[in-house]
């Protein structure tokens, strides 16, 4: 049986929006190899760079936060980002576990 | 995602409805999908694929497309018999794990709303209480009163209705006596042995939150064995 674990990130997104914050939702949409979080894992980021939830085990969160901030600044609706260990930014943000993930970020507007 | 869609998702979640969120990764459009209905607009040509994701209870991107499907299934129902101290901690753990809890206790002074805010507490004997709860083989029972008058009828109901997890609090001796009573009531060994008693995994703790943790750990592990 699959459990219905739910980390209540969307509930928190609603609270942030009610507090007049700009919110970007980040979702793991694909994984390859060994990745710390499963597809559907979520994180939210506001315009100040505060974040809640996770899309990895701490490996790429900082990069996701800056991507989310750019999305707000450039006022774009959404973007797909892939993180690979072979990525040239691997030393900075790559997945230490050797997996790959695709994260989709979107503004809630 | 539109704020309106987010509000709709939260409403569906709190009403324990099964649904999926469909997202077009190219343009950011998203839509709520209810199983058995036809997906709207740009998602309509993926009806079969979406339904398959739903059936396998999986999340993912539909092959050769830019459509992401995230499914939400109903929370697992857990019935606790005995509105005791351990139950208060179980409720706390269950909240984070998204189990849906109902508590049965015929003793009014235990089953008060003040002790269990936001939880369905049924202040009746198990036999009458089960008439108010829809149960199936995806339901779990945690019996905590160690009083045969209250626990036994609930355990018998859970065994007859093939709950996937049945646990009962009490010492080894209490559990032996319980097993004997169930045998006398006509239950076979397999049925009786399916009860987790003494309840919980061995953690070593004796306090109410520690016992609650050992019970919830066993419940989660049994959920994935099913």
């Amino acid at each position: 049986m699959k459990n219905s674990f739910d980390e209540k990130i969307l509930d928190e997104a609603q609270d942030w929006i009610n507090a007049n914050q700009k919110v970007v939702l980040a979702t793991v949409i694909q994984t390859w190899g060994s990745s710390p979080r499963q597809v559907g894992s979520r994180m939210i980021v506001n315009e100040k760079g505060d974040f809640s939830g996770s899309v990895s085990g701490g490996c790429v969160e900082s990069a996701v936060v800056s991507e989310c901030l750019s999305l707000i600044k450039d006022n774009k609706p959404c973007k797909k980002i892939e993180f690979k260990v072979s990525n040239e930014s691997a030393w900075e943000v790559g997945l230490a576990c050797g997996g790959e993930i695709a994260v989709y970020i979107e503004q809630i507007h | 995602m539109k704020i309106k869609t987010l509000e709709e998702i939260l409403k569906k979640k709190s009403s324990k409805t099964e649904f999926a969120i469909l997202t077009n990764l190219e343009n950011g459009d998203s839509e709520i999908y209810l199983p058995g209905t036809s997906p709207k607009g740009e998602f309509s040509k993926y009806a079969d694929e979406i339904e398959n994701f739903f059936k396998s209870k999986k999340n993912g991107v539909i092959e050769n497309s830019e459509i992401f499907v995230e499914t939400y299934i109903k929370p697992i129902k857990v019935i606790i018999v005995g509105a005791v101290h351990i139950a208060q901690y179980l409720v706390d753990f269950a909240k984070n794990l998204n189990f849906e809890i109902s508590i049965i206790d015929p003793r009014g002074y235990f089953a008060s709303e003040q002790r269990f805010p936001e939880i369905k507490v049924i202040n009746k004997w198990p036999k009458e209480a089960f008439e108010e709860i829809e149960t199936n083989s995806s339901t779990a029972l945690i019996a905590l009163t160690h009083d045969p008058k209250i626990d036994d009828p609930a355990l018998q109901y859970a065994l007859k209705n093939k709950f996937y997890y049945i646990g009962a609090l009490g010492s080894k001796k209490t559990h032996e006596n319980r097993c004997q009573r169930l045998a006398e009531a006509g239950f076979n060994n397999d049925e009786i042995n399916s009860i987790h008693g003494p309840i919980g995994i061995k953690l070593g703790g004796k306090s109410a939150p520690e016992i609650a943790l050992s019970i919830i750990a066993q419940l989660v592990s049994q959920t994935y064995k099913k």
Side-chain angles (χ1 to χ4, degrees):
Chain A
M1 181 170 16
K2 182 197 172 192
N3 205 340
S4 53
F5 293 142
D6 169 25
E7 294 168 333
K8 310 237 184 310
I9 302 299
L10 293 178
D11 303 66
E12 210 174 336
Q14 171 86 309
D15 293 342
W16 287 14
I17 286 164
N18 290 343
N20 287 321
Q21 300 173 30
K22 284 187 175 165
V23 180
V24 180
L25 178 65
T27 308
V28 178
I29 53 166
Q30 278 167 311
T31 66
W32 298 267
S34 110
S35 56
R37 297 301 322 272
Q38 58 188 357
V39 173
S41 301
R42 289 207 151 117
M43 178 172 140
I44 46 171
V45 180
N46 71 11
E47 72 269 32
K48 289 180 289 182
D50 300 329
F51 70 98
S52 181
S54 65
V55 293
S56 73
C59 320
V60 301
E61 272 76 3
S62 65
V64 171
V65 169
S66 43
E67 289 280 1
C68 290
L69 290 174
S70 310
L71 202 73
I72 295 175
K73 203 170 132 242
D74 304 341
N75 202 18
K76 286 192 180 143
C78 57
K79 187 181 178 185
K80 195 165 127 181
I81 323 158
E82 289 186 14
F83 294 99
K84 298 178 184 179
V85 78
S86 55
N87 196 309
E88 56 186 27
S89 60
W91 287 109
E92 198 191 336
V93 296
L95 289 165
C97 42
E100 296 179 22
I101 60 170
V103 177
Y104 179 72
I105 61 174
E106 58 184 316
Q107 289 210 57
I108 303 177
H109 53 86
Chain B
M1 182 186 286
K2 294 200 167 61
I3 292 178
K4 219 180 81 191
T5 311
L6 176 67
E7 284 169 354
E8 188 69 26
I9 291 168
L10 296 176
K11 214 193 283 173
K12 290 260 178 305
K13 268 172 57 179
S14 64
S15 66
K16 320 285 183 204
T17 318
E18 305 212 313
F19 66 98
I21 307 168
L22 311 176
T23 306
N24 181 329
L25 300 172
E26 272 169 345
N27 61 18
D29 287 354
S30 50
E31 184 79 51
I32 293 174
Y33 167 77
L34 298 174
T37 65
S38 308
K40 289 172 216 149
E42 58 194 307
F43 301 105
S44 58
K45 63 176 174 179
Y46 298 105
D48 292 346
E49 288 91 341
I50 294 167
E51 195 60 31
N52 282 339
F53 266 101
F54 217 94
K55 272 185 200 141
S56 59
K57 297 182 167 58
K58 278 191 177 137
N59 306 322
V61 177
I62 296 173
E63 216 170 308
N64 302 320
S65 83
E66 286 294 317
I67 308 293
F68 179 66
V69 184
E70 188 184 5
T71 55
Y72 278 80
I73 58 168
K74 277 186 193 170
I76 289 166
K77 209 177 272 182
V78 180
I79 299 165
I80 298 175
V81 178
V84 297
H85 193 189
I86 295 168
Q88 290 178 301
Y89 290 101
L90 278 174
V91 166
D92 278 349
F93 286 124
K95 236 179 245 168
N96 283 329
L97 295 165
N98 203 34
F99 287 115
E100 184 190 346
I101 299 255
S102 307
I103 300 178
I104 299 174
D105 201 320
R107 303 165 298 183
Y109 52 97
F110 275 110
S112 75
E113 239 178 70
Q114 174 257 324
R115 282 164 56 79
F116 294 94
E118 296 169 43
I119 292 287
K120 184 176 181 181
V121 182
I122 307 173
N123 184 208
K124 289 181 180 167
W125 289 89
K127 196 167 169 284
E128 292 101 59
F130 277 116
E131 285 166 15
E132 290 180 22
I133 314 172
E134 206 183 305
T135 64
N136 55 40
S137 60
S138 300
T139 309
L141 179 86
I142 298 173
L144 297 177
T145 72
H146 64 273
D147 178 345
K149 286 198 302 299
I150 307 174
D151 280 356
D152 282 16
L155 292 168
Q156 293 193 14
Y157 184 92
L159 285 172
K160 279 182 197 151
N161 290 278
K162 311 230 175 303
F163 285 16
Y164 82 96
Y165 174 85
I166 306 173
L169 186 82
S171 66
K172 277 187 185 153
K173 184 78 196 142
T174 302
H175 190 62
E176 271 169 32
N177 294 338
R178 176 186 291 137
C179 292
Q180 206 178 330
R181 290 191 305 274
L182 288 169
E184 282 160 14
F187 290 94
N188 66 37
N189 276 345
D190 283 351
E191 288 171 317
I192 293 169
N193 291 336
S194 74
I195 298 174
H196 295 268
I199 196 169
I201 62 166
K202 281 199 171 73
L203 279 182
K206 294 254 193 293
S207 68
E210 286 169 323
I211 294 168
L213 177 63
S214 92
I215 294 171
I216 214 88
Q218 191 172 53
L219 176 65
V220 171
S221 99
Q222 291 303 314
T223 302
Y224 284 109
K225 273 188 197 155
K226 198 174 148 66

